[in-house]
Amino acid sequence: MFESVLDMVVTWNTRDNTNESICEFGIEGLQRLAKAPQGPTAFVDGGPKKATQYIHRVTLTNLEPNSTYRYHCGSQLGWSATYWFRTQFSHSDWSPSLAIYGDMGVVNAASLPALQRETQRGMYDAVIHVGDFAYDMCNENGEVGDEFMRQVETVAAYVPYMVCVGNHEEKYNFSHYINRFSMPGGSENMFYSFDMGPVHFIGFSTEFYYFTQFGLKQIVMQYDWLERDLIEANRPENRQKRPWIITFGHRPMYCSNANSDDCTNHETVVRKGLPFLEMFGLEPLFYKYGVDVELWAHEHCYERMWPMYNYTVYNGSLAEPYVNPGAPIHIISGAAGNHEGREPFLERMPPWSAFHSQDFGYLRLQAHNRTHLYFEQVSDDKKGEVIDHFWVVKDKHGAYGSDL
């Protein structure tokens, strides 16, 4: 489910072709009706059984801002339970709260119970899942993906469930990821942006840089789109209204894990660009256009970095490192729960790593206003204890110093 200011897209799937995709909804009751004009679309899994399911997408339009809607989905052959969601305000002067995490599977989904409870208590305005779903959605002819969607329904049916692609979605050219989710922008969910309160969020694919068998053109297309989006976000009138720019992608540019993942290498592909060519690297691009925070997953851990660029720390000051920092802040929260285990850390942590933990858990963000963001990492191992928290404070936003 995703939301613009006054529209919501509701997505569900069925194993049978119902020939209709209908959503009944309303504030006081289920008095309005929306249909997908063409009905459901068939999606054929790439596995040996070529199992077919039907994807339903219905857009709910002309919604009232800051209002609670009830809805249910289906057709004359059957209906879902009734759910609810709350629309955004129609302006940027509000303080959205989000849950952020990556790497959550069907087995050992450690964070899911807390996320279910907190979402239905109304704690979040949106959720961002930073890649790696189900482990893997394509397994068992797509049945693992079906089970994952059933499990997260108790979150995704109530708030916009925003996603980006991870390495575990690669099978059959990312077809399960492309078909099961509905992000804005018309780019098959691979790269897009959306606004919430004072924040401009940008989701993108790190996987284009690793699965080049699907072509290099996708890297170029995404890079060009990212620059256009960042230019638009940096127009004075837009940056004044939404000064915070936060990106999210699956594989991090930096990490302190003792494994062979790309982020343990000095010249990370996402950071520096294609090998030998050093083209389409995202670190210089995000720095140039003043990205404030970069959210990552992939490593099954939590790690907060000091503000940094090119392995160099640019704290705001020694006493207040996150007050007017001189570079983006990188955060990894890839510990929502998986069956592959926890990631080890280096024995000697690098100076740019500020805090790290192997606990399963998830990140919370509250965008208080145009000058203050608040982050906290919740530990499932410690029964919901907040193990790390910090403020990011900026009285001006934009490109960082030209001396970096």
Side-chain angles (χ1 to χ4, degrees), residues 100-118:
I100 301 159
Y101 53 86
D103 301 76
M104 187 169 73
V106 165
V107 178
N108 191 35
S111 296
L112 187 59
L115 292 165
Q116 292 168 329
R117 182 180 67 252
E118 292 171 355

Side-chain angles (χ1 to χ4, degrees), residues 147-389:
E147 176 59 26
F148 175 81
M149 301 306 278
R150 281 191 289 269
Q151 289 184 11
V152 299
E153 180 180 70
T154 45
V155 176
Y158 298 92
V159 294
Y161 199 84
M162 314 307 290
V163 297
C164 69
V165 70
N167 56 295
H168 277 271
E169 285 69 73
E170 171 267 339
K171 203 71 176 286
Y172 316 129
N173 198 2
F174 305 100
S175 63
H176 277 266
Y177 172 83
I178 289 168
N179 282 276
R180 290 181 182 274
F181 298 105
S182 300
M183 298 299 105
S187 62
E188 297 186 320
N189 310 323
M190 291 299 189
F191 48 87
Y192 63 94
S193 62
F194 65 97
D195 298 322
M196 289 192 77
V199 183
H200 181 68
F201 288 96
I202 303 174
F204 65 97
S205 169
T206 57
E207 303 317 294
F208 287 166
Y209 290 84
Y210 297 91
F211 296 104
T212 54
Q213 67 267 34
F214 300 127
L216 298 178
K217 184 178 180 181
Q218 57 195 3
I219 299 174
V220 180
M221 288 176 58
Q222 176 174 263
Y223 185 92
D224 290 345
W225 177 88
L226 283 168
E227 184 157 37
R228 291 196 305 271
D229 190 83
L230 287 164
I231 289 171
E232 183 68 20
N234 274 281
R235 293 188 189 280
E237 63 274 21
N238 292 334
R239 197 87 201 234
Q240 182 179 12
K241 181 187 289 187
R242 291 188 171 87
W244 297 103
I245 298 178
I246 298 178
T247 63
F248 57 98
H250 183 60
R251 299 199 209 200
M253 295 184 188
Y254 300 97
C255 67
S256 301
N257 301 98
N259 56 31
S260 59
D261 285 348
D262 193 38
C263 57
T264 62
N265 300 320
H266 191 81
E267 306 299 341
T268 307
V269 177
V270 173
R271 186 175 77 85
K272 295 293 287 184
L274 295 172
F276 309 112
L277 300 175
E278 290 201 0
M279 294 177 64
F280 311 113
L282 296 183
E283 186 175 44
L285 184 73
F286 289 172
Y287 164 74
K288 177 181 178 181
Y289 291 103
V291 170
D292 299 291
V293 179
E294 301 178 29
L295 303 171
W296 312 96
H298 189 59
E299 304 303 315
H300 301 156
C301 64
Y302 168 73
E303 186 169 14
R304 164 172 57 88
M305 284 71 156
W306 300 118
M308 62 187 300
Y309 179 79
N310 196 26
Y311 284 93
T312 304
V313 173
Y314 291 93
N315 288 341
S317 67
L318 190 61
E320 298 179 308
Y322 298 114
V323 176
N324 294 317
I329 299 157
H330 295 252
I331 306 169
I332 298 172
S333 188
N338 66 89
H339 64 266
E340 295 179 336
R342 308 166 192 261
E343 299 284 5
F345 286 98
L346 298 169
E347 288 188 15
R348 292 187 60 186
M349 295 297 289
W352 39 263
S353 180
F355 182 93
H356 64 283
S357 171
Q358 287 185 307
D359 286 8
F360 288 121
Y362 55 98
L363 184 69
R364 293 182 184 139
L365 160 63
Q366 184 168 19
H368 276 263
N369 51 39
R370 290 179 170 86
T371 58
H372 288 67
L373 299 179
Y374 175 72
F375 290 93
E376 60 184 24
Q377 177 73 9
V378 179
S379 168
D380 298 311
D381 294 2
K382 295 181 175 62
K383 302 186 184 331
E385 178 184 328
V386 173
I387 58 172
D388 186 41
H389 62 94

Side-chain angles (χ1 to χ4, degrees), residues 2 8 18 41 45 56 64 81 91 146 157 184 199 215 227 239 255 316 324 375:
F2 81 80
M8 184 79 81
T18 64
T41 58
D45 172 64
H56 305 257
E64 295 292 327
H91 54 78
D146 292 345
V199 183
E227 184 157 37
R239 197 87 201 234
C255 67
N324 294 317
F375 290 93

Side-chain angles (χ1 to χ4, degrees), residues 3 86 88 94-99 122-127 159-160 196:
E3 183 178 29
R86 189 160 189 85
Q88 297 184 24
W94 64 289
S95 304
S97 294
L98 296 93
M123 286 180 57
Y124 304 118
D125 299 293
V127 164
V159 294
M196 289 192 77

